Amino acid sequence: MEVSVILQEKIYKLGNLGDMVQVAAGYARNCLIPSGLAVQANEKNMKEFEARRALLEKAASEKLASARQRAERLNEMELTITAKAGEEGKLFGSIGNRDLAESISAVGVEVARDEIRLPQGPIRATGEFDISLHLHSDVSATVKVFVEAE
């Protein structure tokens, strides 16, 4: 069963701010509405949305500008992480999203754990890696990370 919702901000692969979209009832009930990303589409909510549209668009453009600014700083960044490793360059343990987020944030650019994309999984060896970050639905960045043995 599907329901209509009005999006309160741009959602990747779903729609833009103000779009009325059809989504599964469970997705709307459990994810979109509780997190404030959407409201149920009815007359009352449509009128309220239109009254707040300018504020929502301004907030969305500020988020986008902030994400672009962070992306510029992150694209220029090169980060070196040291970890315990064996003779063949294999790490004792691994470097995951949390470790990368803490290292990048320590250098001066705030990054959340869920913004980091590691499609190949955690880093388990020394070497050079390009780490992709998804900062906004329209903005991505890449950080060059060098993992060295202690």
Side-chain angles (χ1 to χ4, degrees):
M1 183 173 165
E2 291 192 341
V3 295
S4 294
V5 294
I6 303 169
L7 299 178
Q8 299 291 307
E9 60 183 65
K10 183 173 183 172
I11 300 175
Y12 181 67
K13 290 190 178 180
L14 191 57
N16 292 315
L17 172 76
D19 287 353
M20 188 181 322
V21 294
Q22 293 280 344
V23 295
Y27 183 48
R29 180 180 60 246
N30 298 323
C31 181
L32 295 177
I33 294 172
S35 60
L37 298 174
V39 293
Q40 196 158 14
N42 57 36
E43 279 300 313
K44 178 184 167 214
N45 287 340
M46 290 177 86
K47 288 178 184 175
E48 287 178 8
F49 175 79
E50 288 303 323
R52 295 180 35 217
R53 187 189 234 354
L55 290 173
L56 292 171
E57 286 176 350
K58 182 180 177 190
S61 67
E62 288 172 358
K63 274 185 177 179
L64 180 60
S66 171
R68 284 187 176 148
Q69 183 181 24
R70 288 175 43 210
E72 287 176 16
R73 292 175 59 197
L74 288 167
N75 283 328
E76 299 168 357
M77 185 180 290
E78 289 186 355
L79 186 66
T80 302
I81 297 176
T82 58
K84 292 184 180 182
E87 291 181 22
E88 297 174 4
K90 193 169 181 182
L91 299 181
F92 297 125
S94 63
I95 298 173
N97 288 9
R98 187 182 73 225
D99 304 313
L100 290 167
E102 289 172 358
S103 298
I104 294 170
S105 296
V107 175
V109 181
E110 277 301 312
V111 173
R113 225 171 71 184
D114 61 343
E115 292 175 329
I116 297 173
R117 301 289 187 261
L118 291 173
Q120 73 279 5
I123 298 170
R124 298 184 190 276
T126 59
E128 178 182 326
F129 302 91
D130 288 331
I131 305 300
S132 144
L133 292 101
H134 187 75
L135 306 174
H136 186 273
S137 58
D138 293 334
V139 181
S140 294
T142 304
V143 175
K144 189 171 289 291
V145 175
F146 299 97
V147 178
E148 298 176 350
E150 281 185 348

